[in-house]
Amino acid sequence: MKSAETIPFSFTNSCCNVKTMPVKTQAIKNWWRIKYIKFFSWEYWPMWLVYIPASFYFIYYCIRARSFCFFSAANPSIETGGMIFESKWDIFKLIPKQYYPATILIKEKESIDDVILKMDNTAMKFPAIAKPDRGERGWCVNILKNTSDLEKYLLKYPIDFLLQKYIDYPMELSIFFYRHPDAANGMITSVTSKEYLKITGDGISNLYKLIEADDRAFLQLEKLKHSGTIDFNKILKHGEIEILVPFGNHVRGALFLDYCDVIDEKLNTVFNNISKQIEGFYFGRFDIKCKSIKDLKEGKHFSILELNGSGAEPAHIYQPGFSFFKAQKIIIQHYKMMYEAAKANHKKGTAYMSLQSFRQVCKAQKEHKLKVVAAI
């Protein structure tokens, strides 16, 4: 059967080509189903819509700080405070190396031979994770399984990117941490467990049917088709699990779960010790992988995949069924923390980013993404 993509919808076709009607009808049904799922599950709403209620508090703190860009002072050592278009590589340089996997910066237009040499010098093997040095929410993140994948990535994405050793620990967590610049210790305010998009077999249906039957997977169906990595005719055994997207990004189908109940003195101690070693960091989220919660609380068998600043979210609010109003309260609480960190640092001499500079960064980010889109 042809997909809806191979038969473009038009009024001419709908009137003159009866054979295309079932395909088009299915496409329309799929469109309405997607809208229905997203309408009744606010975790899928666009970010601007989710943040409308809390945005009034953001404006309030802008007025108090007398700066629209007060957030830039929350983390003085990170570009824009980590709100937008910051360099991941520059952030990694702030973190002690024992806490994160082998990571190398690949500059735009570097040859495959130079990249392989860098990998050899750091003892990095495939598989490896490739992600843009400047980007967010899983944009252009791929697993590279071999040299061929690396070469394709180099040709496809004409930007600086990071190549990172793949960590195969079973748990992926996001841990939000805040410490007032004048305080001796800080605290964890959010812990989120991330479950990759997956499907469980029934021994009868193929992957395509299973994906269609699962709302979360169904929302990723078109992306999965374009990825070329899924065998939709594959039939899983009863109870067999197939990971469809091996990334902990919500926009790529990952399930976010509220794990705040694991926060205790031990976990706070671990992240207080880490954060104090990261100069100029007070407010943001650690994205990590670990062997277990028990090991993490003992400060072992974990690795920091990324550290995000002012633009980070307390991701546990995206657990399915989480109260929208409770989420607003949590977002507002974090705005207050960001303001307090920024205000304290500003008093110590950290300047707020100017509105003109912020606009220039936004423009640079837009041009950066358009460059990749044009290349693809």
Side-chain angles (χ1 to χ4, degrees), residues 62-99:
C62 289
I63 294 170
R64 286 191 63 181
R66 299 182 181 180
S67 170
F68 174 78
C69 303
F70 71 89
F71 51 78
S72 64
N75 299 304
S77 61
I78 302 176
E79 292 175 275
T80 71
M83 177 61 75
I84 181 174
F85 205 49
E86 69 278 13
S87 165
K88 294 183 178 70
W89 178 246
D90 287 345
I91 294 175
F92 273 118
K93 289 191 290 185
L94 299 172
I95 306 171
K97 289 186 177 181
Q98 67 265 28
Y99 293 125

mmCIF file of all heavy atoms in Angstrom, residues 62-99:
data_model
loop_
_atom_site.group_PDB
_atom_site.id
_atom_site.type_symbol
_atom_site.label_atom_id
_atom_site.label_comp_id
_atom_site.label_asym_id
_atom_site.label_seq_id
_atom_site.Cartn_x
_atom_site.Cartn_y
_atom_site.Cartn_z
ATOM 1 N N CYS A 62 11.548 40.409 35.431
ATOM 2 C CA CYS A 62 12.259 41.321 34.529
ATOM 3 C C CYS A 62 12.167 42.755 35.044
ATOM 4 O O CYS A 62 13.151 43.510 35.022
ATOM 5 C CB CYS A 62 11.673 41.247 33.121
ATOM 6 S SG CYS A 62 12.027 39.733 32.219
ATOM 7 N N ILE A 63 10.969 43.123 35.494
ATOM 8 C CA ILE A 63 10.754 44.474 36.013
ATOM 9 C C ILE A 63 11.577 44.695 37.290
ATOM 10 O O ILE A 63 12.220 45.737 37.456
ATOM 11 C CB ILE A 63 9.248 44.709 36.282
ATOM 12 C CG1 ILE A 63 8.470 44.692 34.968
ATOM 13 C CG2 ILE A 63 9.028 46.029 37.020
ATOM 14 C CD1 ILE A 63 6.967 44.673 35.131
ATOM 15 N N ARG A 64 11.568 43.688 38.166
ATOM 16 C CA ARG A 64 12.331 43.810 39.409
ATOM 17 C C ARG A 64 13.834 43.926 39.136
ATOM 18 O O ARG A 64 14.543 44.685 39.805
ATOM 19 C CB ARG A 64 12.067 42.607 40.311
ATOM 20 C CG ARG A 64 10.701 42.619 40.970
ATOM 21 C CD ARG A 64 10.585 41.577 42.051
ATOM 22 N NE ARG A 64 11.520 41.827 43.151
ATOM 23 C CZ ARG A 64 11.631 41.044 44.220
ATOM 24 N NH1 ARG A 64 10.864 39.956 44.325
ATOM 25 N NH2 ARG A 64 12.496 41.324 45.175
ATOM 26 N N ALA A 65 14.292 43.180 38.146
ATOM 27 C CA ALA A 65 15.726 43.207 37.815
ATOM 28 C C ALA A 65 16.086 44.384 36.905
ATOM 29 O O ALA A 65 17.269 44.682 36.707
ATOM 30 C CB ALA A 65 16.119 41.898 37.129
ATOM 31 N N ARG A 66 15.036 45.007 36.332
ATOM 32 C CA ARG A 66 15.225 46.090 35.359
ATOM 33 C C ARG A 66 16.014 45.614 34.152
ATOM 34 O O ARG A 66 16.840 46.332 33.579
ATOM 35 C CB ARG A 66 15.913 47.296 36.008
ATOM 36 C CG ARG A 66 15.118 47.909 37.141
ATOM 37 C CD ARG A 66 15.812 49.109 37.722
ATOM 38 N NE ARG A 66 15.040 49.679 38.832
ATOM 39 C CZ ARG A 66 15.413 50.742 39.535
ATOM 40 N NH1 ARG A 66 16.562 51.340 39.248
ATOM 41 N NH2 ARG A 66 14.661 51.186 40.511
ATOM 42 N N SER A 67 15.746 44.373 33.801
ATOM 43 C CA SER A 67 16.419 43.793 32.631
ATOM 44 C C SER A 67 15.603 42.615 32.116
ATOM 45 O O SER A 67 15.241 41.723 32.889
ATOM 46 C CB SER A 67 17.819 43.314 32.985
ATOM 47 O OG SER A 67 18.380 42.550 31.931
ATOM 48 N N PHE A 68 15.334 42.614 30.820
ATOM 49 C CA PHE A 68 14.648 41.485 30.213
ATOM 50 C C PHE A 68 15.537 40.244 30.229
ATOM 51 O O PHE A 68 15.054 39.118 30.239
ATOM 52 C CB PHE A 68 14.252 41.830 28.763
ATOM 53 C CG PHE A 68 13.667 40.674 28.006
ATOM 54 C CD1 PHE A 68 12.354 40.289 28.210
ATOM 55 C CD2 PHE A 68 14.438 39.951 27.090
ATOM 56 C CE1 PHE A 68 11.805 39.210 27.516
ATOM 57 C CE2 PHE A 68 13.898 38.881 26.392
ATOM 58 C CZ PHE A 68 12.576 38.513 26.609
ATOM 59 N N CYS A 69 16.849 40.456 30.244
ATOM 60 C CA CYS A 69 17.801 39.341 30.154
ATOM 61 C C CYS A 69 18.493 39.057 31.477
ATOM 62 O O CYS A 69 19.667 38.666 31.509
ATOM 63 C CB CYS A 69 18.829 39.630 29.062
ATOM 64 S SG CYS A 69 18.118 39.932 27.438
ATOM 65 N N PHE A 70 17.774 39.239 32.589
ATOM 66 C CA PHE A 70 18.376 38.987 33.904
ATOM 67 C C PHE A 70 18.895 37.561 34.035
ATOM 68 O O PHE A 70 19.854 37.281 34.752
ATOM 69 C CB PHE A 70 17.366 39.279 35.021
ATOM 70 C CG PHE A 70 16.249 38.283 35.127
ATOM 71 C CD1 PHE A 70 16.385 37.144 35.917
ATOM 72 C CD2 PHE A 70 15.057 38.475 34.448
ATOM 73 C CE1 PHE A 70 15.354 36.217 36.022
ATOM 74 C CE2 PHE A 70 14.020 37.551 34.543
ATOM 75 C CZ PHE A 70 14.170 36.421 35.335
ATOM 76 N N PHE A 71 18.266 36.625 33.297
ATOM 77 C CA PHE A 71 18.624 35.199 33.364
ATOM 78 C C PHE A 71 20.080 34.948 33.010
ATOM 79 O O PHE A 71 20.668 33.945 33.425
ATOM 80 C CB PHE A 71 17.725 34.390 32.425
ATOM 81 C CG PHE A 71 17.655 34.935 31.018
ATOM 82 C CD1 PHE A 71 18.681 34.716 30.116
ATOM 83 C CD2 PHE A 71 16.553 35.663 30.612
ATOM 84 C CE1 PHE A 71 18.631 35.228 28.826
ATOM 85 C CE2 PHE A 71 16.477 36.182 29.314
ATOM 86 C CZ PHE A 71 17.517 35.967 28.425
ATOM 87 N N SER A 72 20.682 35.855 32.244
ATOM 88 C CA SER A 72 22.067 35.653 31.800
ATOM 89 C C SER A 72 23.053 35.662 32.960
ATOM 90 O O SER A 72 24.158 35.127 32.849
ATOM 91 C CB SER A 72 22.460 36.727 30.782
ATOM 92 O OG SER A 72 22.443 38.012 31.385
ATOM 93 N N ALA A 73 22.660 36.269 34.088
ATOM 94 C CA ALA A 73 23.552 36.349 35.243
ATOM 95 C C ALA A 73 23.369 35.189 36.211
ATOM 96 O O ALA A 73 24.102 35.085 37.192
ATOM 97 C CB ALA A 73 23.332 37.672 35.978
ATOM 98 N N ALA A 74 22.411 34.314 35.939
ATOM 99 C CA ALA A 74 22.176 33.179 36.843
ATOM 100 C C ALA A 74 23.373 32.235 36.864
ATOM 101 O O ALA A 74 23.716 31.664 37.911
ATOM 102 C CB ALA A 74 20.913 32.427 36.435
ATOM 103 N N ASN A 75 24.007 32.076 35.687
ATOM 104 C CA ASN A 75 25.209 31.247 35.566
ATOM 105 C C ASN A 75 26.275 32.063 34.830
ATOM 106 O O ASN A 75 26.372 31.989 33.600
ATOM 107 C CB ASN A 75 24.903 29.962 34.785
ATOM 108 C CG ASN A 75 23.860 29.101 35.452
ATOM 109 O OD1 ASN A 75 23.990 28.703 36.602
ATOM 110 N ND2 ASN A 75 22.780 28.800 34.727
ATOM 111 N N PRO A 76 27.068 32.838 35.540
ATOM 112 C CA PRO A 76 28.012 33.772 34.904
ATOM 113 C C PRO A 76 29.024 33.132 33.961
ATOM 114 O O PRO A 76 29.510 33.794 33.038
ATOM 115 C CB PRO A 76 28.729 34.416 36.102
ATOM 116 C CG PRO A 76 27.781 34.258 37.234
ATOM 117 C CD PRO A 76 27.094 32.947 36.998
ATOM 118 N N SER A 77 29.341 31.858 34.169
ATOM 119 C CA SER A 77 30.374 31.214 33.349
ATOM 120 C C SER A 77 29.834 30.619 32.054
ATOM 121 O O SER A 77 30.601 30.125 31.228
ATOM 122 C CB SER A 77 31.060 30.111 34.158
ATOM 123 O OG SER A 77 30.116 29.122 34.546
ATOM 124 N N ILE A 78 28.505 30.688 31.853
ATOM 125 C CA ILE A 78 27.882 30.085 30.671
ATOM 126 C C ILE A 78 27.288 31.184 29.791
ATOM 127 O O ILE A 78 26.635 32.102 30.294
ATOM 128 C CB ILE A 78 26.779 29.086 31.084
ATOM 129 C CG1 ILE A 78 27.363 27.989 31.976
ATOM 130 C CG2 ILE A 78 26.121 28.462 29.858
ATOM 131 C CD1 ILE A 78 26.329 27.011 32.524
ATOM 132 N N GLU A 79 27.505 31.086 28.490
ATOM 133 C CA GLU A 79 26.934 32.057 27.551
ATOM 134 C C GLU A 79 25.431 32.184 27.766
ATOM 135 O O GLU A 79 24.736 31.182 27.893
ATOM 136 C CB GLU A 79 27.167 31.597 26.109
ATOM 137 C CG GLU A 79 28.598 31.601 25.633
ATOM 138 C CD GLU A 79 28.695 31.005 24.232
ATOM 139 O OE1 GLU A 79 28.779 29.777 24.118
ATOM 140 O OE2 GLU A 79 28.671 31.784 23.265
ATOM 141 N N THR A 80 24.942 33.389 27.789
ATOM 142 C CA THR A 80 23.528 33.731 28.002
ATOM 143 C C THR A 80 22.972 33.101 29.287
ATOM 144 O O THR A 80 21.764 33.016 29.459
ATOM 145 C CB THR A 80 22.628 33.324 26.797
ATOM 146 O OG1 THR A 80 22.497 31.898 26.751
ATOM 147 C CG2 THR A 80 23.203 33.843 25.493
ATOM 148 N N GLY A 81 23.848 32.676 30.167
ATOM 149 C CA GLY A 81 23.420 31.994 31.379
ATOM 150 C C GLY A 81 22.911 30.591 31.102
ATOM 151 O O GLY A 81 22.450 29.887 32.004
ATOM 152 N N GLY A 82 23.006 30.188 29.825
ATOM 153 C CA GLY A 82 22.497 28.878 29.432
ATOM 154 C C GLY A 82 21.058 28.930 28.961
ATOM 155 O O GLY A 82 20.400 27.898 28.853
ATOM 156 N N MET A 83 20.571 30.120 28.629
ATOM 157 C CA MET A 83 19.185 30.258 28.177
ATOM 158 C C MET A 83 19.019 29.865 26.713
ATOM 159 O O MET A 83 18.045 29.225 26.325
ATOM 160 C CB MET A 83 18.701 31.700 28.391
ATOM 161 C CG MET A 83 17.288 31.979 27.883
ATOM 162 S SD MET A 83 16.001 30.982 28.682
ATOM 163 C CE MET A 83 15.869 31.797 30.280
ATOM 164 N N ILE A 84 19.991 30.259 25.876
ATOM 165 C CA ILE A 84 19.817 30.040 24.441
ATOM 166 C C ILE A 84 21.168 30.013 23.728
ATOM 167 O O ILE A 84 22.063 30.803 24.036
ATOM 168 C CB ILE A 84 18.924 31.156 23.839
ATOM 169 C CG1 ILE A 84 18.683 30.947 22.338
ATOM 170 C CG2 ILE A 84 19.507 32.528 24.098
ATOM 171 C CD1 ILE A 84 17.704 31.936 21.734
ATOM 172 N N PHE A 85 21.332 29.067 22.822
ATOM 173 C CA PHE A 85 22.451 29.002 21.878
ATOM 174 C C PHE A 85 23.823 28.953 22.545
ATOM 175 O O PHE A 85 24.826 29.397 21.982
ATOM 176 C CB PHE A 85 22.378 30.190 20.908
ATOM 177 C CG PHE A 85 23.059 29.917 19.585
ATOM 178 C CD1 PHE A 85 22.800 28.758 18.873
ATOM 179 C CD2 PHE A 85 23.960 30.831 19.051
ATOM 180 C CE1 PHE A 85 23.431 28.512 17.648
ATOM 181 C CE2 PHE A 85 24.595 30.600 17.837
ATOM 182 C CZ PHE A 85 24.315 29.431 17.143
ATOM 183 N N GLU A 86 23.883 28.398 23.741
ATOM 184 C CA GLU A 86 25.163 28.272 24.431
ATOM 185 C C GLU A 86 25.960 27.095 23.874
ATOM 186 O O GLU A 86 25.377 26.139 23.334
ATOM 187 C CB GLU A 86 24.951 28.098 25.940
ATOM 188 C CG GLU A 86 24.323 26.780 26.361
ATOM 189 C CD GLU A 86 22.820 26.739 26.250
ATOM 190 O OE1 GLU A 86 22.227 27.645 25.601
ATOM 191 O OE2 GLU A 86 22.197 25.794 26.790
ATOM 192 N N SER A 87 27.260 27.141 24.011
ATOM 193 C CA SER A 87 28.134 26.083 23.524
ATOM 194 C C SER A 87 28.229 24.955 24.560
ATOM 195 O O SER A 87 28.636 25.181 25.705
ATOM 196 C CB SER A 87 29.532 26.631 23.242
ATOM 197 O OG SER A 87 30.483 25.585 23.092
ATOM 198 N N LYS A 88 27.862 23.764 24.158
ATOM 199 C CA LYS A 88 27.988 22.605 25.048
ATOM 200 C C LYS A 88 29.459 22.327 25.370
ATOM 201 O O LYS A 88 29.799 21.923 26.486
ATOM 202 C CB LYS A 88 27.361 21.366 24.396
ATOM 203 C CG LYS A 88 25.858 21.421 24.201
ATOM 204 C CD LYS A 88 25.366 20.105 23.606
ATOM 205 C CE LYS A 88 23.854 20.084 23.425
ATOM 206 N NZ LYS A 88 23.408 20.990 22.353
ATOM 207 N N TRP A 89 30.304 22.538 24.377
ATOM 208 C CA TRP A 89 31.730 22.275 24.566
ATOM 209 C C TRP A 89 32.313 23.176 25.646
ATOM 210 O O TRP A 89 33.077 22.724 26.502
ATOM 211 C CB TRP A 89 32.472 22.462 23.254
ATOM 212 C CG TRP A 89 33.955 22.262 23.342
ATOM 213 C CD1 TRP A 89 34.930 23.201 23.165
ATOM 214 C CD2 TRP A 89 34.649 21.040 23.640
ATOM 215 N NE1 TRP A 89 36.173 22.654 23.322
ATOM 216 C CE2 TRP A 89 36.039 21.318 23.610
ATOM 217 C CE3 TRP A 89 34.226 19.737 23.917
ATOM 218 C CZ2 TRP A 89 37.003 20.351 23.861
ATOM 219 C CZ3 TRP A 89 35.195 18.764 24.160
ATOM 220 C CH2 TRP A 89 36.556 19.073 24.139
ATOM 221 N N ASP A 90 31.926 24.452 25.617
ATOM 222 C CA ASP A 90 32.422 25.381 26.634
ATOM 223 C C ASP A 90 31.940 24.986 28.026
ATOM 224 O O ASP A 90 32.650 25.180 29.016
ATOM 225 C CB ASP A 90 31.966 26.809 26.316
ATOM 226 C CG ASP A 90 32.725 27.413 25.135
ATOM 227 O OD1 ASP A 90 33.770 26.846 24.761
ATOM 228 O OD2 ASP A 90 32.268 28.436 24.587
ATOM 229 N N ILE A 91 30.739 24.432 28.098
ATOM 230 C CA ILE A 91 30.216 23.985 29.394
ATOM 231 C C ILE A 91 30.982 22.758 29.877
ATOM 232 O O ILE A 91 31.336 22.663 31.062
ATOM 233 C CB ILE A 91 28.702 23.684 29.295
ATOM 234 C CG1 ILE A 91 27.932 24.973 29.019
ATOM 235 C CG2 ILE A 91 28.201 23.033 30.592
ATOM 236 C CD1 ILE A 91 26.449 24.776 28.778
ATOM 237 N N PHE A 92 31.255 21.828 28.982
ATOM 238 C CA PHE A 92 32.010 20.629 29.373
ATOM 239 C C PHE A 92 33.393 21.000 29.910
ATOM 240 O O PHE A 92 33.918 20.339 30.808
ATOM 241 C CB PHE A 92 32.154 19.663 28.196
ATOM 242 C CG PHE A 92 30.995 18.712 28.050
ATOM 243 C CD1 PHE A 92 30.207 18.718 26.914
ATOM 244 C CD2 PHE A 92 30.683 17.812 29.062
ATOM 245 C CE1 PHE A 92 29.137 17.845 26.778
ATOM 246 C CE2 PHE A 92 29.615 16.937 28.938
ATOM 247 C CZ PHE A 92 28.833 16.961 27.796
ATOM 248 N N LYS A 93 33.970 22.071 29.377
ATOM 249 C CA LYS A 93 35.289 22.497 29.842
ATOM 250 C C LYS A 93 35.259 22.997 31.287
ATOM 251 O O LYS A 93 36.294 23.085 31.937
ATOM 252 C CB LYS A 93 35.851 23.575 28.911
ATOM 253 C CG LYS A 93 36.265 23.031 27.543
ATOM 254 C CD LYS A 93 37.056 24.034 26.729
ATOM 255 C CE LYS A 93 36.225 25.187 26.265
ATOM 256 N NZ LYS A 93 36.984 26.106 25.364
ATOM 257 N N LEU A 94 34.063 23.308 31.789
ATOM 258 C CA LEU A 94 33.916 23.743 33.174
ATOM 259 C C LEU A 94 33.787 22.562 34.142
ATOM 260 O O LEU A 94 34.027 22.703 35.339
ATOM 261 C CB LEU A 94 32.660 24.624 33.325
ATOM 262 C CG LEU A 94 32.605 25.924 32.525
ATOM 263 C CD1 LEU A 94 31.216 26.545 32.648
ATOM 264 C CD2 LEU A 94 33.666 26.910 33.024
ATOM 265 N N ILE A 95 33.393 21.398 33.609
ATOM 266 C CA ILE A 95 33.104 20.227 34.443
ATOM 267 C C ILE A 95 34.353 19.358 34.582
ATOM 268 O O ILE A 95 35.010 19.062 33.572
ATOM 269 C CB ILE A 95 31.967 19.391 33.817
ATOM 270 C CG1 ILE A 95 30.727 20.262 33.549
ATOM 271 C CG2 ILE A 95 31.604 18.211 34.705
ATOM 272 C CD1 ILE A 95 29.646 19.561 32.749
ATOM 273 N N PRO A 96 34.680 18.950 35.786
ATOM 274 C CA PRO A 96 35.814 18.018 35.953
ATOM 275 C C PRO A 96 35.622 16.770 35.086
ATOM 276 O O PRO A 96 34.528 16.207 35.021
ATOM 277 C CB PRO A 96 35.768 17.674 37.447
ATOM 278 C CG PRO A 96 35.149 18.866 38.078
ATOM 279 C CD PRO A 96 34.117 19.350 37.095
ATOM 280 N N LYS A 97 36.681 16.344 34.411
ATOM 281 C CA LYS A 97 36.579 15.279 33.405
ATOM 282 C C LYS A 97 36.095 13.938 33.950
ATOM 283 O O LYS A 97 35.549 13.129 33.196
ATOM 284 C CB LYS A 97 37.934 15.095 32.708
ATOM 285 C CG LYS A 97 38.294 16.244 31.790
ATOM 286 C CD LYS A 97 39.567 15.963 31.006
ATOM 287 C CE LYS A 97 39.880 17.091 30.031
ATOM 288 N NZ LYS A 97 41.102 16.825 29.251
ATOM 289 N N GLN A 98 36.287 13.706 35.244
ATOM 290 C CA GLN A 98 35.882 12.401 35.776
ATOM 291 C C GLN A 98 34.360 12.224 35.811
ATOM 292 O O GLN A 98 33.863 11.119 35.994
ATOM 293 C CB GLN A 98 36.441 12.191 37.183
ATOM 294 C CG GLN A 98 35.871 13.106 38.267
ATOM 295 C CD GLN A 98 36.720 14.331 38.495
ATOM 296 O OE1 GLN A 98 37.400 14.793 37.575
ATOM 297 N NE2 GLN A 98 36.703 14.848 39.717
ATOM 298 N N TYR A 99 33.640 13.324 35.598
ATOM 299 C CA TYR A 99 32.180 13.250 35.703
ATOM 300 C C TYR A 99 31.459 13.056 34.365
ATOM 301 O O TYR A 99 30.244 12.838 34.353
ATOM 302 C CB TYR A 99 31.637 14.514 36.369
ATOM 303 C CG TYR A 99 32.038 14.663 37.806
ATOM 304 C CD1 TYR A 99 32.679 15.820 38.249
ATOM 305 C CD2 TYR A 99 31.780 13.663 38.740
ATOM 306 C CE1 TYR A 99 33.053 15.974 39.579
ATOM 307 C CE2 TYR A 99 32.151 13.801 40.070
ATOM 308 C CZ TYR A 99 32.785 14.959 40.475
ATOM 309 O OH TYR A 99 33.154 15.101 41.799
#
